[in-house]
Amino acid sequence: MKRLMQAWVLVPWVAMAQGTTAPEKTTPSETEAVRVEDRQRHFGAMLAPAVLPDGGSAVAGWVGAPEVGVSYRQGLSGWELGARARFDYLHLSTTVEAVGRWPVWSEGAWAVAPELGLGVTANPGSRYFDAQNLRGWFLRVDPALVATWRVVETVAALGTVEVPYDLGLSPGGTWRVKPLAGVGAEIYLGEDLTLSLLGQLGVDVFKEVRGVTQSRLGYGARLGLGVRLF
């Protein structure tokens, strides 16, 4: 009888022990697979995605008209910080700026994020290609808006509005503002590589030293290649 009572007491504990399993440990290979899948889901380096996920980073470079450039992007807790350098080979000017981006709206395959760049532009005033080129050092303020739409798994459509403003730091009151609207696409090539295409059109408004305000057609084109680091 005593043994029977002991059996009745032990049975529930044995059942609980059998029903309780140790939590599964995630192996390094499984963790890496999750990271790769996340990078593929939010692929892009030059402009897409609208904002990089937390911990994500990317580098990109592009050629085009009238400039070539490189950029670095880093996702930080819902925000994105980065840096960008551009060389305008028609004016021989160089721009270096810090860039911040943050998400404001996303729905399904759509995402929209404003962007703000702040930096400096150095222009030697070469007039070989442009007789109205502005010479000097300029403060660059570059607000923009980036919209992305994931068309298929490997293609994201891009839409941009950019308003770079250069304020002359030397006496004379020179400045330039060049609002541009653009459309393009970013294509996932595999192995975290993406190809980017972007065309821009707008207006170029500027004021020369002690001159009058003038305007002309503004344009831009980029062909870029980027890689996701994380």
Side-chain angles (χ1 to χ4, degrees):
M1 184 67 178
K2 185 176 180 181
R3 292 181 179 179
L4 182 60
M5 293 180 62
Q6 290 177 345
W8 279 103
V9 172
L10 291 174
V11 165
W13 291 100
V14 173
M16 290 179 61
Q18 292 178 343
T20 304
T21 59
E24 295 182 0
K25 294 183 179 180
T26 303
T27 64
S29 59
E30 291 174 340
T31 302
E32 182 63 25
V34 171
R35 291 176 180 174
V36 170
E37 183 180 355
D38 184 66
R39 290 201 300 269
Q40 292 176 350
R41 185 183 307 112
H42 302 96
F43 71 88
M46 191 175 82
L47 285 172
V51 176
L52 285 176
D54 186 22
S57 62
V59 293
W62 67 89
V63 297
E67 63 184 20
V68 297
V70 294
S71 65
Y72 172 77
R73 302 169 60 191
Q74 177 70 54
L76 295 170
S77 301
W79 290 65
E80 181 184 307
L81 296 177
R84 186 164 55 208
R86 314 187 196 194
F87 177 68
D88 185 327
Y89 51 82
L90 297 183
H91 297 134
L92 301 183
S93 65
T94 302
T95 300
V96 179
E97 56 188 329
V99 183
R101 194 186 291 185
W102 58 98
V104 293
W105 180 79
S106 62
E107 181 68 32
W110 289 88
V112 177
E115 177 184 279
L116 181 62
L118 184 63
V120 293
T121 297
N123 192 329
S126 171
R127 300 201 168 186
Y128 185 80
F129 286 103
D130 184 359
Q132 297 174 310
N133 190 19
L134 302 180
R135 178 180 181 181
W137 287 86
F138 299 84
L139 173 67
R140 166 66 63 92
V141 181
D142 192 0
L145 188 68
V146 178
T148 63
W149 173 45
R150 187 166 178 175
V151 183
V152 294
E153 288 187 358
T154 58
V155 178
L158 308 172
T160 65
V161 177
E162 183 180 8
V163 191
Y165 175 68
D166 288 331
L167 176 63
L169 299 178
S170 302
T174 59
W175 53 265
R176 165 173 268 122
V177 61
K178 193 176 180 181
L180 298 171
V183 294
E186 196 141 350
I187 305 167
Y188 181 71
L189 302 178
E191 299 297 330
D192 295 326
L193 289 172
T194 56
L195 177 70
S196 302
L197 304 165
L198 182 70
Q200 297 173 301
L201 197 62
V203 61
D204 183 8
V205 183
F206 58 95
K207 180 183 178 184
E208 297 181 289
V209 178
R210 292 178 295 276
V212 297
T213 301
Q214 302 183 56
S215 62
R216 58 187 178 184
L217 178 68
Y219 64 91
R222 300 181 196 175
L223 172 63
L225 188 66
V227 60
R228 286 289 292 274
L229 303 177
F230 296 101

